[in-house]
Amino acid sequence: MVTDKKDIRALSKEQLRDFFVSKGDKAFRGNQVYEWLWQKAAHDFEDMTNISKETRQMLDAHFVINHIEVDSMQRSNDGTIKNAVRLHDGLIVESVLIPTATRTTACVSSQVGCSLDCKFCATARLKRMRNLNPDEIYDQVVTIDKESRHYFNRPLSNIVFMGMGEPLMNYNNVIKAIEKITSPEGLGMSPKRITLSTSGIPKMIKKMADDGVKFNLAVSLHSAIDSVRTSIMPFNETFPLQDLRDALEYWYAKTKRRISYEYVVWKGINDTDEHIEAFVKFCKYVPCKVNIIEYNPIDDGHFQQAASEMLDRYIRVLEDNHIVVNVRRSRGKDIDAACGQLANKS
């Protein structure tokens, strides 16, 4: 719904306090409203029960709460839940709840569509319509936390920014959302349970390090040979591996936190010893761990999962070089909720 009213969640606590003072009310009223908006995730001023009816009506006359709505929800055979999330302007993004025996993870989106052009990702085929606001990112997490409690009887334990969009191309809003998620005045989650996954924007990785962020960093790498990486991730021509390496070394020097590399092995693309050797060499520049990710087809047939023997060889050589490696089996493939499949299909 289009309205001239300002989204109240765009205001800081200080601005809310100032607003109430300007209306002849007490500043602490701003604290109360701020708590309702973030810690209690209120979607309607009428929900703010410790505030007078007159004050709620006054807020409604000046502001709107642009909350998200779950347009549709799908449940996978493996328990994974995919939400098609409708934003206040009618655009749709997707978010995913991934359950395991010990945790539930929210995979959230940061853009409508994507700014980048990775050939193997369904989201990259969607035009980037706009960046998500901090509250729209926050709301995805609140929604998945409620689903985790309802369906799995436990609160959300982890968050990954691996949904639609490149988080570092929406840096300011993503950082503001994480600040709210980790704040005691928000959801109070530990930043150690949050991972931001990027395709690799060197200057923004350096900025994260300079800003002293406390969450984890993952890099979607897929090849440590420039020509091959550019062929599957064309933006690599602008941000080549040497620049990425420099940024990651800078990150580690500033944060002392190791990096996770996400890596898919495709038949006929990066399934040779040359690629394994290049990858091992790249892994040795900074302390890291590797997640070998099962590929999820997006219908065109060009990208196909490499033979299991080649995956085993990658794992063996990485381990022989004392590099921690995990194999991530995809979840939610039957509802197009797996890594790289988010494209507003239902």
Side-chain angles (χ1 to χ4, degrees), residues 2 14 17 65 103 112-113 136 230 268 342:
V2 178
E14 290 70 29
R17 288 169 60 89
I65 305 173
R103 64 175 62 180
V112 185
E136 293 170 325
T230 298
L342 300 186

Side-chain angles (χ1 to χ4, degrees), residues 54-113:
E54 292 75 16
T55 301
R56 284 179 269 159
Q57 290 173 338
M58 183 268 291
L59 287 170
D60 190 54
H62 286 86
F63 300 107
V64 67
I65 305 173
N66 284 331
H67 59 85
I68 67 169
E69 298 282 356
V70 176
D71 196 61
S72 66
M73 185 189 85
Q74 294 174 272
R75 295 193 70 186
S76 168
N77 294 328
D78 62 25
T80 299
I81 293 174
K82 182 174 77 169
N83 295 319
V85 173
R86 184 173 297 276
L87 309 176
H88 70 93
D89 56 4
L91 295 174
I92 300 283
V93 296
E94 293 179 343
S95 57
V96 182
L97 187 163
I98 306 162
T100 68
T102 57
R103 64 175 62 180
T104 51
T105 299
C107 177
V108 300
S109 295
S110 56
Q111 296 180 309
V112 185

Side-chain angles (χ1 to χ4, degrees), residues 172-240:
N172 290 336
N173 288 349
V174 167
I175 294 298
K176 287 177 183 176
I178 292 174
E179 288 172 351
K180 288 286 192 298
I181 291 165
T182 56
S183 168
E185 297 180 313
L187 299 181
M189 287 191 70
S190 168
K192 294 178 181 179
R193 294 184 173 273
I194 299 174
T195 298
L196 183 148
S197 175
T198 175
S199 294
I201 316 295
K203 68 177 182 179
M204 301 311 295
I205 292 172
K206 290 181 177 179
K207 178 169 174 53
M208 279 197 299
D210 287 338
D211 288 347
V213 302
K214 303 299 183 185
F215 50 80
N216 303 304
L217 174 63
V219 176
S220 187
L221 193 68
H222 309 307
S223 178
I225 298 174
D226 264 315
S227 59
V228 176
R229 193 167 194 259
T230 298
S231 72
I232 58 176
M233 306 169 79
F235 70 89
N236 185 73
E237 191 165 6
T238 305
F239 307 120

Side-chain angles (χ1 to χ4, degrees), residues 112-334:
V112 185
C114 188
S115 301
L116 301 181
D117 48 8
C118 302
K119 302 298 185 185
F120 51 84
C121 179
T123 309
R125 299 179 177 185
L126 304 175
K127 178 184 177 184
R128 189 194 74 83
M129 303 295 289
R130 68 171 175 86
N131 290 333
L132 294 189
N133 297 324
D135 53 276
E136 293 170 325
I137 297 169
Y138 185 89
D139 280 355
Q140 292 175 70
V141 176
V142 169
T143 298
I144 292 176
D145 179 52
K146 289 178 180 177
E147 291 173 341
S148 178
R149 292 170 189 269
H150 178 74
Y151 291 107
F152 302 101
N153 298 311
R154 58 179 184 263
L156 181 68
S157 59
N158 296 78
I159 302 169
V160 293
F161 281 80
M162 296 184 186
M164 301 171 75
E166 165 54 62
L168 294 189
M169 301 295 269
N170 185 19
Y171 183 81
N172 290 336
N173 288 349
V174 167
I175 294 298
K176 287 177 183 176
I178 292 174
E179 288 172 351
K180 288 286 192 298
I181 291 165
T182 56
S183 168
E185 297 180 313
L187 299 181
M189 287 191 70
S190 168
K192 294 178 181 179
R193 294 184 173 273
I194 299 174
T195 298
L196 183 148
S197 175
T198 175
S199 294
I201 316 295
K203 68 177 182 179
M204 301 311 295
I205 292 172
K206 290 181 177 179
K207 178 169 174 53
M208 279 197 299
D210 287 338
D211 288 347
V213 302
K214 303 299 183 185
F215 50 80
N216 303 304
L217 174 63
V219 176
S220 187
L221 193 68
H222 309 307
S223 178
I225 298 174
D226 264 315
S227 59
V228 176
R229 193 167 194 259
T230 298
S231 72
I232 58 176
M233 306 169 79
F235 70 89
N236 185 73
E237 191 165 6
T238 305
F239 307 120
L241 287 166
Q242 182 60 56
D243 292 354
L244 178 59
R245 170 189 170 181
D246 292 345
L248 295 175
E249 289 177 332
Y250 186 87
W251 161 274
Y252 186 76
K254 295 278 281 193
T255 69
K256 294 295 184 270
R257 291 205 304 282
R258 68 178 178 175
I259 292 139
S260 295
Y261 291 122
E262 293 153 1
Y263 200 98
V264 180
V265 186
W266 289 288
K267 181 180 179 181
I269 294 175
N270 58 355
D271 58 342
T272 66
D273 287 345
E274 179 189 12
H275 281 91
I276 297 174
E277 291 166 9
F279 186 33
V280 168
K281 182 179 179 181
F282 197 88
C283 286
K284 290 183 175 181
Y285 293 135
V286 294
C288 68
K289 62 178 180 178
V290 171
N291 294 320
I292 299 288
I293 299 174
E294 182 181 8
Y295 180 61
N296 307 298
I298 55 171
D299 298 336
D300 63 4
H302 178 68
F303 290 91
Q304 299 177 35
Q305 178 79 47
S308 58
E309 294 81 7
M310 182 51 66
L311 291 181
D312 292 341
R313 180 159 177 74
Y314 259 97
I315 293 164
R316 186 169 62 253
V317 175
L318 286 164
E319 289 179 340
D320 286 348
N321 282 272
H322 310 291
I323 297 163
V324 176
V325 57
N326 298 296
V327 178
R328 293 287 170 87
R329 302 297 177 190
S330 292
R331 308 290 300 274
K333 288 194 288 187
D334 56 315

